[in-house]
């Protein structure tokens, strides 16, 4: 029994969360490498949803595990402060990765006579003042650099949800549904391009819905069906199979009727505004996959699964590394020729480097310098403090 006044026991880490976050980092890397032939075979090509849904859903679960208990144990004010601190960290991570990509593009231009800055960041050359202001205020998001800004806005909604929960248990669900409804009914969005007035490509007021589905599940506010229910598994499988002809390029590119049907049911903004079919597809896929792997859940932390878990545990660092590596290796592929062997090699190198970053960051986070010194090592090494104290004594004796 827990003693009065003690903190609640820390939840055991769910290896499935880290496993799928690690898998998502590799999928996002493949999707971000320009003209990557492997991109034709990622899960998004076989259904309505993509790795982005998995990333945001897992982020919702992770946020509940990391921050939800702070609200519960320490109150709304400290919970909000914890969220604000995380927002501060992610904001500077966003600016840092943008600056790193600009510097990388400039380095490639200077070293190889390319035009990457003009290609990737044209507004910096044509309207530098507006571009720099847009980067700082997140009102300009260059291509493929819109995931972290979306996450920032959604994080800012977490204290609102926690406050509403104190008023009535249904209010967080109502707010999530209201924001999503306003996206589709009133065009709710934020400015994402100050030159043409376009909104954010990943509309945070739409994508918050799948984030908070994960968040609500992890907070135990939203019940989930029992895994392994064959009726639900069969229904999910049927839905997933039916989505393939409307998504797989090998079909829609050669069967005009499939493309026409997809265009009919999915509007142009289906990804930006997170169409409901994308949500349903992801939830069906998640339920089916989790049900299938449940008997082997404890074996996820073995073999290649262990490597994915290492990446998933350092998801922010792995994501930042994947974005930079995708641009760099995409340029290398252009210079080396895009043969399948070259592309395969570069993708595998990217995977290895992302894993390396995760391992190094994990080592730093473990703070090995703060751990007790092994007794055998301390006997072999002189104590600098003792030497510093003893030195004046020897000097006095010599004099």
């Amino acid at each position: 029994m827990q003693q009065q006044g003690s903190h609640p026991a820390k939840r055991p880490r769910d290896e499935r969360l880290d496993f799928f976050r690690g898998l998502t980092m590799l999928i996002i890397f493949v999707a971000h490498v320009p003209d990557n032939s492997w991109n034709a075979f990622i899960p998004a090509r076989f259904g309505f949803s993509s790795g982005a849904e998995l990333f945001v859903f897992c982020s919702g679960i992770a946020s509940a595990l990391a921050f939800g208990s702070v609200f519960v144990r320490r109150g709304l004010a400290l919970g909000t402060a914890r969220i604000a601190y995380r927002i501060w960290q992610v904001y500077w991570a966003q600016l840092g990765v943008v600056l790193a990509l600009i510097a990388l593009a400039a380095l490639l231009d200077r070293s190889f006579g390319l035009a990457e800055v003009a290609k990737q960041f044209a507004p910096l050359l044509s309207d530098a003042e507006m571009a720099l202001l847009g980067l700082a205020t997140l009102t300009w998001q260059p291509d493929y650099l819109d995931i972290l800004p979306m996450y920032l806005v959604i994080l800012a909604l977490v204290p609102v949800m926690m406050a509403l929960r104190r008023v009535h248990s249904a209010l967080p669900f109502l707010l999530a549904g209201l924001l999503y409804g306003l996206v589709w009914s009133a065009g709710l969005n934020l400015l994402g391009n100050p030159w043409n007035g376009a909104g954010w490509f990943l509309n945070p007021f739409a994508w918050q819905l799948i984030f908070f589905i994960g968040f609500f599940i992890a907070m135990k506010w939203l019940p989930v069906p029992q895994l392994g229910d064959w009726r639900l598994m069969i229904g999910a499988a049927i839905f997933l199979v039916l989505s393939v002809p409307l998504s797989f390029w090998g079909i829609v590119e050669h069967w005009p009727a499939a493309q026409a049907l997809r265009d009919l049911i999915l509007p142009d903004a289906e990804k930006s505004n997170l169409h409901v079919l994308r949500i349903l597809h992801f939830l069906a896929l998640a339920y089916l996959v989790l049900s299938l792997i449940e008997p082997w859940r404890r074996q996820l932390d073995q073999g290649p699964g262990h490597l994915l878990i290492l990446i998933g545990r350092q998801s922010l660092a792995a994501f930042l590394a994947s974005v930079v590596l995708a641009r760099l290796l995409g340029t290398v592929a252009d210079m080396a020729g895009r043969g399948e062997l070259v592309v395969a090699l570069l993708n595998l190198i990217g995977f290895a480097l992302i894993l390396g970053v995760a391992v190094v960051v994990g080592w730093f986070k473990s703070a090995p310098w703060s751990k007790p010194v092994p007794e055998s090592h301390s006997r072999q090494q002189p104590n600098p403090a003792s030497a510093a104290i003893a030195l004046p004594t020897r000097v006095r004796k010599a004099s």
Side-chain angles (χ1 to χ4, degrees):
M1 174 183 275
Q2 184 179 312
Q3 295 181 354
Q4 185 176 2
S6 62
H7 294 305
K10 186 177 181 180
R11 292 194 203 182
R13 197 174 190 107
D14 192 331
E15 66 283 346
R16 295 173 299 177
L17 177 61
D18 291 326
F19 177 88
F20 286 110
R21 287 205 297 180
L23 178 62
T24 305
M25 292 303 104
L26 301 187
I27 293 173
I28 289 176
F29 166 75
V30 170
H32 282 190
V33 174
D35 301 319
N36 188 355
S37 60
W38 283 25
N39 192 29
F41 299 98
I42 62 175
R45 305 295 165 254
F46 299 90
F48 300 126
S49 65
S50 66
E53 282 83 357
L54 179 58
F55 175 83
V56 176
F57 179 80
C58 288
S59 296
I61 294 177
S63 295
L65 299 177
F67 312 129
S69 62
V70 180
F71 284 92
V72 173
R73 291 185 292 107
R74 305 302 301 273
L76 189 62
L78 285 180
T80 301
R82 180 66 182 91
I83 290 289
Y85 179 61
R86 185 56 172 172
I87 289 174
W88 177 257
Q89 290 177 313
V90 176
Y91 173 76
W92 286 106
Q94 168 70 9
L95 294 188
V97 75
V98 172
L99 179 60
L101 290 175
I102 293 172
L104 174 62
L107 176 63
L108 293 172
D109 290 353
R110 182 173 289 272
S111 300
F112 302 104
L114 304 177
E116 291 298 317
V117 173
K119 178 182 177 182
Q120 299 178 26
F121 305 99
L124 276 177
L125 304 179
S126 60
D127 190 357
E129 291 181 356
M130 181 66 77
L132 292 173
L133 180 62
L135 291 176
T137 60
L138 306 180
T139 54
W140 174 43
Q141 297 169 20
D143 292 343
Y144 299 106
L145 294 175
D146 42 28
I147 293 181
L148 291 183
M150 171 195 64
Y151 180 53
L152 287 172
V153 174
I154 297 175
L155 273 180
L157 291 172
V158 171
V160 179
M161 295 295 186
M162 299 302 295
L164 290 176
R165 179 74 178 185
R166 294 188 171 195
V167 178
H168 193 282
S169 60
L171 288 180
F173 298 91
L174 292 176
L175 178 60
L178 175 63
L179 291 174
Y180 184 76
L182 288 174
V183 167
W184 286 96
S185 63
L188 179 64
N189 201 345
L190 297 173
L191 179 65
N193 188 314
W195 295 279
N196 61 18
W200 287 21
F201 177 71
L202 294 178
N203 187 335
F205 301 114
W207 283 81
Q208 57 80 26
L209 184 59
I210 199 159
F211 175 95
F212 282 115
I213 290 175
F215 186 90
F216 295 159
I217 288 174
M219 292 297 295
K220 301 189 184 302
W221 298 353
L222 181 64
V224 294
Q226 183 71 31
L227 294 178
D229 186 319
W230 283 103
R231 293 167 299 179
L232 291 177
M233 291 178 67
I234 292 173
I238 292 173
F239 180 69
L240 295 174
V241 170
L242 291 177
S243 71
V244 173
L246 302 178
S247 306
F248 182 48
W249 53 269
I251 295 177
V252 295
E253 290 182 3
H254 300 91
W255 188 18
Q259 183 64 62
L261 181 57
R262 179 183 174 89
D263 294 340
L264 179 64
I265 63 176
L266 290 176
D268 292 338
E270 53 91 13
K271 182 170 185 178
S272 294
N273 293 338
L274 190 63
H275 194 277
V276 66
L277 282 178
R278 297 181 68 97
I279 299 174
L280 294 176
H281 181 271
F282 169 76
L283 293 177
L285 181 62
Y287 180 80
L288 184 61
V289 170
L290 290 175
S291 295
L292 292 174
I293 69 170
E294 182 64 17
W296 297 276
R297 176 177 169 181
R298 300 302 177 187
Q299 282 72 51
L300 289 178
D301 193 10
Q302 297 178 9
H306 177 66
L307 303 181
L308 290 176
I309 289 173
L310 290 177
I311 295 173
R313 287 176 179 169
Q314 313 299 335
S315 58
L316 179 58
F319 173 78
L320 296 174
S322 74
V323 172
V324 176
L325 287 170
R327 297 287 179 95
L328 176 60
L329 295 179
T331 302
V332 173
D334 288 335
M335 298 175 67
R338 288 191 172 270
E340 288 305 318
L341 183 60
V342 170
V343 170
L345 180 62
L346 292 177
N347 278 299
L348 294 176
I349 289 174
F351 293 169
L353 291 175
I354 292 170
L355 174 62
V357 167
V359 171
V360 171
V361 171
W363 182 82
F364 275 104
K365 283 186 175 181
S366 71
W369 47 81
S370 65
K371 296 178 180 178
V373 179
E375 185 178 350
S376 59
H377 182 76
S378 61
R379 286 199 302 265
Q380 296 174 2
Q381 298 295 330
N383 189 328
S386 300
I389 295 172
L391 180 59
T393 303
R394 291 196 295 268
V395 172
R396 283 198 301 270
K397 288 181 178 180
S399 62

